[in-house]
Short mmCIF file of all heavy atoms in Angstrom, two decimals:
data_model
loop_
_atom_site.label_atom_id
_atom_site.label_comp_id
_atom_site.label_asym_id
_atom_site.label_seq_id
_atom_site.Cartn_x
_atom_site.Cartn_y
_atom_site.Cartn_z
N LEU B 1 1.47 -12.62 -14.13
CA LEU B 1 2.22 -12.96 -12.95
C LEU B 1 2.98 -14.27 -13.05
O LEU B 1 4.04 -14.41 -12.42
CB LEU B 1 1.30 -12.99 -11.74
CG LEU B 1 0.69 -11.68 -11.30
CD1 LEU B 1 -0.28 -11.86 -10.15
CD2 LEU B 1 1.78 -10.67 -10.93
N THR B 2 2.53 -15.16 -13.88
CA THR B 2 3.23 -16.45 -14.00
C THR B 2 4.57 -16.31 -14.68
O THR B 2 5.39 -17.21 -14.55
CB THR B 2 2.34 -17.46 -14.80
OG1 THR B 2 2.00 -16.82 -16.02
CG2 THR B 2 1.08 -17.80 -14.04
N GLU B 3 4.82 -15.21 -15.37
CA GLU B 3 6.09 -15.03 -16.06
C GLU B 3 7.12 -14.29 -15.22
O GLU B 3 8.26 -14.07 -15.68
CB GLU B 3 5.87 -14.30 -17.40
CG GLU B 3 5.04 -15.11 -18.40
CD GLU B 3 4.89 -14.37 -19.73
OE1 GLU B 3 5.61 -13.37 -19.95
OE2 GLU B 3 4.05 -14.83 -20.52
N HIS B 4 6.74 -13.86 -14.03
CA HIS B 4 7.68 -13.16 -13.15
C HIS B 4 8.34 -14.19 -12.21
O HIS B 4 7.72 -15.22 -11.87
CB HIS B 4 6.91 -12.14 -12.28
CG HIS B 4 6.50 -10.94 -13.04
ND1 HIS B 4 7.36 -9.94 -13.40
CD2 HIS B 4 5.25 -10.60 -13.51
CE1 HIS B 4 6.65 -9.00 -14.01
NE2 HIS B 4 5.41 -9.37 -14.11
N SER B 5 9.58 -13.93 -11.85
CA SER B 5 10.26 -14.80 -10.86
C SER B 5 9.72 -14.54 -9.48
O SER B 5 9.02 -13.55 -9.23
CB SER B 5 11.77 -14.52 -10.89
OG SER B 5 12.06 -13.28 -10.38
N VAL B 6 10.00 -15.47 -8.56
CA VAL B 6 9.54 -15.30 -7.17
C VAL B 6 10.14 -14.05 -6.56
O VAL B 6 9.48 -13.35 -5.77
CB VAL B 6 9.86 -16.58 -6.33
CG1 VAL B 6 9.50 -16.38 -4.89
CG2 VAL B 6 9.17 -17.79 -6.95
N GLU B 7 11.39 -13.74 -6.88
CA GLU B 7 12.03 -12.54 -6.35
C GLU B 7 11.30 -11.30 -6.84
O GLU B 7 11.12 -10.39 -6.08
CB GLU B 7 13.52 -12.51 -6.74
CG GLU B 7 14.38 -13.60 -6.07
CD GLU B 7 14.26 -14.94 -6.79
OE1 GLU B 7 13.83 -14.98 -7.97
OE2 GLU B 7 14.60 -15.94 -6.13
N GLU B 8 10.93 -11.29 -8.09
CA GLU B 8 10.20 -10.14 -8.64
C GLU B 8 8.85 -10.00 -7.99
O GLU B 8 8.41 -8.90 -7.64
CB GLU B 8 10.02 -10.25 -10.17
CG GLU B 8 11.29 -10.09 -10.99
CD GLU B 8 11.07 -10.35 -12.45
OE1 GLU B 8 10.24 -11.21 -12.79
OE2 GLU B 8 11.74 -9.67 -13.26
N LEU B 9 8.20 -11.13 -7.79
CA LEU B 9 6.88 -11.13 -7.12
C LEU B 9 7.02 -10.60 -5.67
O LEU B 9 6.17 -9.82 -5.18
CB LEU B 9 6.26 -12.52 -7.14
CG LEU B 9 5.76 -13.01 -8.50
CD1 LEU B 9 5.33 -14.47 -8.38
CD2 LEU B 9 4.63 -12.16 -9.02
N ASN B 10 8.04 -11.04 -4.99
CA ASN B 10 8.21 -10.55 -3.60
C ASN B 10 8.51 -9.07 -3.62
O ASN B 10 8.05 -8.34 -2.72
CB ASN B 10 9.33 -11.34 -2.93
CG ASN B 10 8.85 -12.63 -2.33
OD1 ASN B 10 7.75 -12.75 -1.86
ND2 ASN B 10 9.73 -13.63 -2.45
N GLY B 11 9.27 -8.57 -4.58
CA GLY B 11 9.54 -7.13 -4.69
C GLY B 11 8.27 -6.39 -4.95
O GLY B 11 8.03 -5.29 -4.37
N MET B 12 7.43 -6.88 -5.87
CA MET B 12 6.17 -6.24 -6.17
C MET B 12 5.29 -6.22 -4.91
O MET B 12 4.59 -5.25 -4.66
CB MET B 12 5.48 -6.94 -7.34
CG MET B 12 6.20 -6.76 -8.63
SD MET B 12 5.75 -7.86 -10.00
CE MET B 12 4.00 -7.95 -9.98
N ARG B 13 5.27 -7.34 -4.18
CA ARG B 13 4.43 -7.43 -3.00
C ARG B 13 4.87 -6.40 -1.96
O ARG B 13 4.04 -5.73 -1.34
CB ARG B 13 4.58 -8.85 -2.38
CG ARG B 13 3.73 -9.03 -1.11
CD ARG B 13 3.96 -10.39 -0.48
NE ARG B 13 5.35 -10.69 -0.20
CZ ARG B 13 6.03 -10.30 0.85
NH1 ARG B 13 5.42 -9.56 1.77
NH2 ARG B 13 7.28 -10.59 1.07
N LYS B 14 6.20 -6.26 -1.74
CA LYS B 14 6.70 -5.26 -0.79
C LYS B 14 6.38 -3.83 -1.22
O LYS B 14 6.01 -2.98 -0.36
CB LYS B 14 8.23 -5.43 -0.61
CG LYS B 14 8.61 -6.68 0.15
CD LYS B 14 10.10 -6.80 0.23
CE LYS B 14 10.51 -8.07 0.94
NZ LYS B 14 11.97 -8.25 0.98
N THR B 15 6.46 -3.57 -2.49
CA THR B 15 6.14 -2.23 -2.98
C THR B 15 4.69 -1.88 -2.81
O THR B 15 4.37 -0.82 -2.28
CB THR B 15 6.53 -2.15 -4.50
OG1 THR B 15 7.91 -2.41 -4.68
CG2 THR B 15 6.24 -0.77 -5.06
N ILE B 16 3.81 -2.79 -3.17
CA ILE B 16 2.40 -2.55 -3.02
C ILE B 16 2.00 -2.44 -1.55
O ILE B 16 1.19 -1.65 -1.17
CB ILE B 16 1.57 -3.60 -3.75
CG1 ILE B 16 1.79 -3.50 -5.25
CG2 ILE B 16 0.07 -3.46 -3.43
CD1 ILE B 16 1.11 -4.55 -6.09
N THR B 17 2.63 -3.25 -0.70
CA THR B 17 2.35 -3.19 0.74
C THR B 17 2.77 -1.84 1.28
O THR B 17 2.02 -1.22 2.11
CB THR B 17 3.11 -4.34 1.46
OG1 THR B 17 2.66 -5.57 0.92
CG2 THR B 17 2.79 -4.27 2.97
N GLY B 18 3.88 -1.29 0.88
CA GLY B 18 4.32 0.01 1.28
C GLY B 18 3.39 1.12 0.83
O GLY B 18 3.07 2.02 1.57
N ILE B 19 2.95 1.03 -0.42
CA ILE B 19 2.02 2.01 -0.95
C ILE B 19 0.69 1.99 -0.16
O ILE B 19 0.13 3.01 0.22
CB ILE B 19 1.76 1.76 -2.46
CG1 ILE B 19 3.03 2.08 -3.23
CG2 ILE B 19 0.57 2.57 -2.96
CD1 ILE B 19 2.98 1.62 -4.69
N LEU B 20 0.23 0.75 0.09
CA LEU B 20 -1.04 0.62 0.84
C LEU B 20 -0.89 1.09 2.30
O LEU B 20 -1.84 1.62 2.91
CB LEU B 20 -1.53 -0.81 0.82
CG LEU B 20 -2.06 -1.29 -0.50
CD1 LEU B 20 -2.35 -2.77 -0.50
CD2 LEU B 20 -3.35 -0.50 -0.86
N ALA B 21 0.27 0.97 2.92
CA ALA B 21 0.50 1.44 4.26
C ALA B 21 0.43 2.96 4.29
O ALA B 21 -0.18 3.55 5.20
CB ALA B 21 1.89 0.98 4.78
N VAL B 22 1.03 3.66 3.32
CA VAL B 22 0.98 5.12 3.25
C VAL B 22 -0.47 5.56 3.01
O VAL B 22 -0.95 6.47 3.69
CB VAL B 22 1.88 5.61 2.14
CG1 VAL B 22 1.68 7.10 1.89
CG2 VAL B 22 3.33 5.36 2.51
N MET B 23 -1.15 4.88 2.08
CA MET B 23 -2.54 5.26 1.79
C MET B 23 -3.45 5.00 3.00
O MET B 23 -4.35 5.78 3.29
CB MET B 23 -3.04 4.49 0.58
CG MET B 23 -2.35 4.92 -0.71
SD MET B 23 -2.74 3.95 -2.13
CE MET B 23 -4.42 4.33 -2.33
N GLY B 24 -3.16 3.93 3.72
CA GLY B 24 -3.96 3.64 4.93
C GLY B 24 -3.73 4.70 6.01
O GLY B 24 -4.69 5.10 6.71
N ALA B 25 -2.50 5.13 6.16
CA ALA B 25 -2.17 6.18 7.15
C ALA B 25 -2.90 7.45 6.77
O ALA B 25 -3.49 8.14 7.60
CB ALA B 25 -0.72 6.39 7.23
N LEU B 26 -2.85 7.79 5.49
CA LEU B 26 -3.54 9.04 5.03
C LEU B 26 -5.06 8.88 5.29
O LEU B 26 -5.72 9.88 5.73
CB LEU B 26 -3.28 9.28 3.57
CG LEU B 26 -1.89 9.74 3.21
CD1 LEU B 26 -1.69 9.81 1.67
CD2 LEU B 26 -1.66 11.12 3.79
N LEU B 27 -5.60 7.71 5.04
CA LEU B 27 -7.01 7.53 5.21
C LEU B 27 -7.38 7.68 6.71
O LEU B 27 -8.41 8.28 7.03
CB LEU B 27 -7.44 6.14 4.67
CG LEU B 27 -8.94 5.84 4.64
CD1 LEU B 27 -9.64 6.83 3.70
CD2 LEU B 27 -9.14 4.43 4.14
N LEU B 28 -6.58 7.11 7.58
CA LEU B 28 -6.83 7.23 9.00
C LEU B 28 -6.76 8.70 9.48
O LEU B 28 -7.53 9.12 10.30
CB LEU B 28 -5.85 6.39 9.79
CG LEU B 28 -6.12 4.88 9.81
CD1 LEU B 28 -5.02 4.11 10.51
CD2 LEU B 28 -7.45 4.57 10.43
N LEU B 29 -5.76 9.44 8.94
CA LEU B 29 -5.66 10.84 9.29
C LEU B 29 -6.90 11.63 8.82
O LEU B 29 -7.41 12.48 9.57
CB LEU B 29 -4.38 11.47 8.70
CG LEU B 29 -3.07 11.02 9.35
CD1 LEU B 29 -1.90 11.53 8.54
CD2 LEU B 29 -2.99 11.54 10.75
N TYR B 30 -7.29 11.38 7.62
CA TYR B 30 -8.53 12.02 7.08
C TYR B 30 -9.71 11.74 7.95
O TYR B 30 -10.44 12.63 8.38
CB TYR B 30 -8.84 11.53 5.66
CG TYR B 30 -8.44 12.47 4.56
CD1 TYR B 30 -7.57 12.06 3.56
CD2 TYR B 30 -9.06 13.71 4.45
CE1 TYR B 30 -7.26 12.92 2.53
CE2 TYR B 30 -8.73 14.56 3.42
CZ TYR B 30 -7.83 14.16 2.46
OH TYR B 30 -7.54 15.00 1.44
N VAL B 31 -9.95 10.45 8.22
CA VAL B 31 -11.10 10.05 9.04
C VAL B 31 -10.97 10.66 10.48
O VAL B 31 -11.99 11.12 11.03
CB VAL B 31 -11.26 8.53 9.06
CG1 VAL B 31 -12.30 8.09 10.09
CG2 VAL B 31 -11.62 8.01 7.67
N GLY B 32 -9.85 10.60 11.02
CA GLY B 32 -9.63 11.17 12.40
C GLY B 32 -9.89 12.71 12.37
O GLY B 32 -10.55 13.19 13.31
N TYR B 33 -9.45 13.40 11.35
CA TYR B 33 -9.68 14.85 11.31
C TYR B 33 -11.16 15.13 11.16
O TYR B 33 -11.68 15.98 11.88
CB TYR B 33 -8.91 15.42 10.10
CG TYR B 33 -9.33 16.88 9.85
CD1 TYR B 33 -8.88 17.87 10.73
CD2 TYR B 33 -10.11 17.23 8.80
CE1 TYR B 33 -9.24 19.22 10.51
CE2 TYR B 33 -10.52 18.56 8.58
CZ TYR B 33 -10.07 19.58 9.43
OH TYR B 33 -10.39 20.83 9.25
N TYR B 34 -11.84 14.45 10.26
CA TYR B 34 -13.28 14.71 10.09
C TYR B 34 -14.08 14.20 11.30
O TYR B 34 -15.12 14.82 11.63
CB TYR B 34 -13.80 14.11 8.80
CG TYR B 34 -13.33 14.94 7.64
CD1 TYR B 34 -12.41 14.51 6.71
CD2 TYR B 34 -13.84 16.24 7.48
CE1 TYR B 34 -12.02 15.28 5.68
CE2 TYR B 34 -13.43 17.04 6.44
CZ TYR B 34 -12.50 16.57 5.55
OH TYR B 34 -12.10 17.34 4.54
N GLY B 35 -13.62 13.20 12.00
CA GLY B 35 -14.29 12.81 13.25
C GLY B 35 -14.14 13.88 14.30
O GLY B 35 -15.10 14.24 15.01
N TYR B 36 -12.93 14.50 14.37
CA TYR B 36 -12.73 15.59 15.31
C TYR B 36 -13.56 16.79 14.98
O TYR B 36 -14.17 17.39 15.85
CB TYR B 36 -11.22 15.97 15.28
CG TYR B 36 -10.93 17.24 16.04
CD1 TYR B 36 -10.85 17.23 17.43
CD2 TYR B 36 -10.67 18.42 15.35
CE1 TYR B 36 -10.58 18.41 18.10
CE2 TYR B 36 -10.41 19.59 16.07
CZ TYR B 36 -10.38 19.59 17.43
OH TYR B 36 -10.11 20.71 18.12
#
């Protein structure tokens, strides 16, 4: 990570945050369905 620029790090952060948001939504849907 020390060899990446701040712009690259911010891009990586946004990408991983988006991936985690989708995975979190899927997880909530799964848990909600099984709770139902």
Side-chain angles (χ1 to χ4, degrees):
L1 292 177
T2 55
E3 293 183 15
H4 289 281
S5 69
V6 175
E7 292 81 18
E8 289 175 328
L9 289 173
N10 278 323
M12 291 166 44
R13 180 185 54 82
K14 288 178 183 177
T15 301
I16 293 175
T17 302
I19 291 169
L20 287 171
V22 169
M23 292 172 67
L26 287 173
L27 189 61
L28 285 175
L29 287 172
Y30 256 121
V31 170
Y33 171 74
Y34 284 111
Y36 170 77

